[in-house]
Amino acid sequence: MLFSRRSSDNETVVAMLASAIRRDISFGVLCPDEKLKIEALRQRYGGSNHSMRETLRMLVAEGMVEATNQRGFRVTSATEDDLADILMMRLEVEKLALERAIAHGGVDWEAQIVAAHHQMMRAENQLNQAPDDATALGWDEACRGYIMALVSACGSPRLIEMTGRFYDQSRRFRLARLREGRIDFDARRDRQEALKAAVMERDTKRALRLLEEDTQADLSG
């Protein structure tokens, strides 16, 4: 039990560190290609050498951080080519997952989508009323929750995991567009309502088209 408790405590610390560093990468506090030194990160975020290394390995697996010659770490680059590649992967994975979810999802799945959509719209209203880093992050998390709800009935844990991973990798591009005032919330709201309706009607072709349009508009429209 003692070893189990220590393992559980370490996992909690790593999860908290990963959340903080992931957030700062997403907001550009930690810049693309910036070197990540263990001691400097510990002074900034806390944790031990071991927990920080575990955190960085987790973020490497997510694609947020890169290992450099197995001797150090840096923030993953964020070029236009990176964005194009991430967008391509997001669309391939999300469309496959959504297609399967529409085919297999039941009433509980539909209820989950309605609830996640409501939460996303509420977060969007809070962001528009009081735009700051906290409401921006809350909105982005709610948008992620909606995507994850859409694909949750796909029947493949790996597809669901990949959906979350590529969403996370695209997050900093999306938040950058938000900071620059390049997201049209009225148009986005219309697309999301149409996407929800298409999913509920099990109109797969229309749902996939709307998902693609919305993802492209959020990241590169």
Side-chain angles (χ1 to χ4, degrees), residues 97-105 109 150 153 198-199 202-204 207-208:
L98 180 58
E99 183 175 14
R100 289 175 56 86
I102 291 174
H104 300 292
W109 173 65
L150 285 172
V199 169
R202 308 297 172 120
D203 187 339
T204 301
L208 296 180

Side-chain angles (χ1 to χ4, degrees), residues 45-189:
Y45 299 100
S48 64
N49 281 341
H50 175 73
S51 61
M52 186 56 72
R53 286 189 180 278
E54 288 298 309
T55 298
L56 292 174
R57 290 190 186 104
M58 176 187 294
L59 295 173
V60 167
E62 293 177 5
M64 303 289 287
V65 169
E66 292 182 0
T68 58
N69 299 323
Q70 299 184 356
R71 292 186 298 178
F73 300 91
R74 68 178 177 87
V75 178
T76 303
S77 63
T79 66
E80 288 299 317
D81 286 343
D82 293 322
L83 172 57
D85 192 41
I86 292 168
L87 177 58
M88 182 270 290
M89 290 303 300
R90 263 198 70 176
L91 288 172
E92 291 296 320
V93 170
E94 287 180 13
K95 287 167 70 176
L96 175 58
L98 180 58
E99 183 175 14
R100 289 175 56 86
I102 291 174
H104 300 292
V107 174
D108 289 345
W109 173 65
E110 293 179 357
Q112 185 179 352
I113 290 170
V114 171
H117 181 270
H118 175 74
Q119 186 172 354
M120 179 175 63
M121 291 297 101
R122 184 174 181 179
E124 189 169 298
N125 289 335
Q126 291 173 340
L127 172 63
N128 288 326
Q129 290 170 8
D132 57 28
D133 285 356
T135 54
L137 189 61
W139 168 73
D140 190 67
E141 285 292 341
C143 293
R144 186 186 194 279
Y146 183 55
I147 291 294
M148 300 309 290
L150 285 172
V151 306
S152 62
C154 71
S156 169
R158 290 173 180 81
L159 263 181
I160 293 171
E161 189 271 335
M162 289 177 68
T163 296
R165 178 180 298 183
F166 287 119
Y167 184 96
D168 290 341
Q169 290 182 25
S170 70
R171 172 174 273 155
R172 52 185 167 165
F173 297 99
R174 195 158 174 268
L175 290 172
R177 288 176 60 79
L178 175 66
R179 290 194 300 271
E180 295 163 3
R182 296 167 60 198
I183 294 181
D184 184 338
F185 282 104
D186 290 336
R188 187 177 188 282
R189 191 175 300 111

